[in-house]
Amino acid sequence: MLRSVLPLSFIVGNRFFGIFIVLPVLSLYALELDGANEKLVGFLIGGYAITQMIFQVPFGTLSDKIGRKKTLTLGLIIFIIGSFVCGYANDIYTMIFGRLLQGVGAIGAVSTAMISDYTTEENRSKAMAIMGIFIGTAFSASMVLSPILSQKWGIGGLFLLSGALSIFCIFLLFTAVPKENKIVAEDSEKVAFSKLIFQKDLFIINFTNLMQKMLTSIAFLAIPIVLVKELGYIQAELWKVYAISTVFGFIAMGLGGFLGDGKGLSKSILLSGVLLFILAYSFFSFAPSAMIFMVGVVIFFVGFNLHEPILQSCATKFVKAKQKGTALGIFNSFGYFGSFIGGIFGGYILHHYSMFELSIICVILCTFWFILLLSLKDPRVFKNLYFEKNVSLKTLDGLTGIFDRFSTSKANVVKYDSTILNENDIKKAIE
């Protein structure tokens, strides 16, 4: 598992570093571009997400058909071109175009599906935790380095660094990542595309991704603007705020991965994260000083990082193997749509009103989100059984409780709902 997961996680971490490193200071520097205002800066932050949202499903579906590596390469090349457009932009409209182009390279679902292909469902939590560590490290490093490097290179230099890292990712993809693991579906039933969106549990987990990314987009837009322009915090010291927050967030990420997938408490972790978002935005709403506002930032980072290592793993629990790329594309599309809404909506409210009104709206939305999450089916009810390659799974046709059947290079796999069936029922049916 490690031979495939480690290089892929490194690629994902590098890609996220390239994305994250511009976020902490983008709103401040973008306001200095020709023609910029808060609404256009909000679109700059959220616009990347709208093209990501549009192209996640096509890229995910394409990867199911032509393979993950080819699709990843195509997406990385497009992202690199967009990064260099942003790097040399002098006005807000050129940078918006570059950000939209970056978003067309929508490989998030493909990366997750590829890691999922290399692992069994029982080991997937470990694989996602490894990926989460790389993402967390990238996140932490970018939060600290972004204010420092932007002082030396400007925002254009950060975009150029992002493009260069993506070129390195293509090199790693073809030199360090093993040959793709081919998965063949035994179950002939294909889930309708509409069901991948509107099936209750899939919709709830997709909506969870939307809300988490929306709140994150709002936070990255508002934190530097409120701290520096309204509360008088020194811009050059922003890295300290992000450094402290990411330390707590990194601890929360490890805790979320261990208790979530590792101990089967994913649903409880998701609910806890929402409560922390409510608390964080409550602090944002009334903070009379930079210190109080920074307490809210720390709480927000803890909530975000509790969610991050388990969200994508949870999404794979509710979908069949042969439609994993498409389903994860939908999942990521919801997330990027949330980022788009957060950037546009957050920029509009900050431009016309204040952080107080924006925070109150977020608290109300989070309360609705928490209530919706209570009805999510617990992901740990799904179990897998593994059989030798010569064992036929055809005798399971029509057996209630069988969620999926597929074949990997090493075994035939049965995924079932443990609240309906048990292991002995399946073994008897096969015998």
Side-chain angles (χ1 to χ4, degrees), residues 16-54:
F16 272 94
F17 181 83
I19 295 170
F20 288 147
I21 197 165
V22 301
L23 288 180
V25 295
L26 182 58
S27 57
L28 285 176
Y29 281 91
L31 281 172
E32 299 174 1
L33 293 170
D34 292 342
N37 59 44
E38 287 86 352
K39 285 191 288 187
L40 286 173
V41 171
F43 186 78
L44 174 68
I45 292 174
Y48 167 83
I50 199 67
T51 46
Q52 279 278 329
M53 180 198 77
I54 293 169

Side-chain angles (χ1 to χ4, degrees), residues 230 281 284-286 349-350 353-362:
E230 296 182 19
Y281 274 90
F284 292 160
S285 69
F286 70 82
I349 297 297
L350 281 180
Y353 299 97
S354 71
M355 190 65 201
F356 175 79
E357 287 83 0
L358 181 58
S359 297
I360 294 301
I361 294 170
C362 290

Side-chain angles (χ1 to χ4, degrees), residues 23-332:
L23 288 180
V25 295
L26 182 58
S27 57
L28 285 176
Y29 281 91
L31 281 172
E32 299 174 1
L33 293 170
D34 292 342
N37 59 44
E38 287 86 352
K39 285 191 288 187
L40 286 173
V41 171
F43 186 78
L44 174 68
I45 292 174
Y48 167 83
I50 199 67
T51 46
Q52 279 278 329
M53 180 198 77
I54 293 169
F55 286 93
Q56 282 291 326
V57 175
F59 268 80
T61 303
L62 185 65
S63 76
D64 286 336
K65 294 180 178 179
I66 70 169
R68 313 291 190 206
K69 279 192 177 183
K70 292 178 182 177
T71 311
L72 275 173
T73 304
L74 175 62
L76 285 169
I77 290 171
I78 296 171
F79 181 83
I80 290 164
I81 296 171
S83 297
F84 280 92
V85 170
C86 289
Y88 291 105
N90 293 314
D91 63 87
I92 188 68
Y93 299 102
T94 302
M95 186 167 282
I96 286 173
F97 171 73
R99 286 283 285 173
L100 291 173
L101 192 57
Q102 277 187 315
V104 174
I107 61 168
V110 184
S111 303
T112 306
M114 195 169 185
I115 288 179
S116 182
D117 289 344
Y118 283 118
T119 58
T120 64
E121 199 152 308
E122 289 73 20
N123 286 323
R124 194 163 299 150
S125 60
K126 297 176 184 177
M128 294 299 175
I130 292 170
M131 183 177 71
I133 290 170
F134 277 88
I135 293 174
T137 302
F139 185 78
S140 302
S142 62
M143 293 301 102
V144 175
L145 292 175
S146 178
I148 298 172
L149 294 180
S150 64
Q151 290 282 321
K152 296 181 179 180
W153 299 344
I155 195 67
L158 298 187
F159 276 113
L160 295 177
L161 175 62
S162 178
L165 288 172
S166 295
I167 293 172
F168 181 60
C169 286
I170 294 176
F171 172 77
L172 282 180
L173 182 62
F174 286 96
T175 58
V177 178
K179 185 179 178 180
E180 294 178 52
N181 185 20
K182 188 174 179 63
I183 293 178
V184 179
E186 297 280 342
D187 189 349
S188 60
E189 180 188 0
K190 186 173 183 179
V191 178
F193 183 83
S194 60
K195 191 173 181 180
L196 292 176
I197 300 176
F198 297 112
Q199 191 272 339
K200 181 180 77 72
D201 295 308
L202 279 173
F203 177 79
I204 292 173
I205 203 70
N206 289 338
F207 182 76
T208 292
N209 198 31
L210 182 152
M211 284 295 299
Q212 191 229 36
K213 299 304 185 293
M214 182 190 77
L215 295 172
T216 302
S217 190
I218 290 172
F220 279 118
L221 170 69
I223 288 170
I225 291 176
V226 173
L227 277 176
V228 174
K229 294 189 176 295
E230 296 182 19
L231 298 176
Y233 195 79
I234 301 172
Q235 180 177 338
E237 302 291 313
L238 274 175
W239 70 270
K240 295 180 181 179
V241 179
Y242 292 120
I244 294 170
S245 300
T246 51
V247 168
F248 284 96
F250 201 76
I251 294 170
M253 178 174 282
L255 188 65
F258 175 73
L259 295 178
D261 278 346
K263 296 295 181 180
L265 298 176
S266 296
K267 183 175 177 179
S268 299
I269 293 296
L270 291 176
L271 289 167
S272 299
V274 177
L275 291 177
L276 288 170
F277 285 138
I278 292 173
L279 184 59
Y281 274 90
S282 296
F283 270 86
F284 292 160
S285 69
F286 70 82
S289 67
M291 184 61 65
I292 298 298
F293 192 88
M294 284 188 282
V295 172
V297 175
V298 171
I299 295 171
F300 175 84
F301 271 60
V302 171
F304 172 83
N305 284 284
L306 273 179
H307 275 196
E308 201 58 25
I310 62 172
L311 260 181
Q312 304 229 24
S313 178
C314 284
T316 65
K317 304 286 187 182
F318 299 103
V319 67
K320 293 178 181 290
K322 65 183 175 184
Q323 291 179 291
K324 198 182 301 173
T326 303
L328 286 171
I330 295 170
F331 170 80
N332 280 284

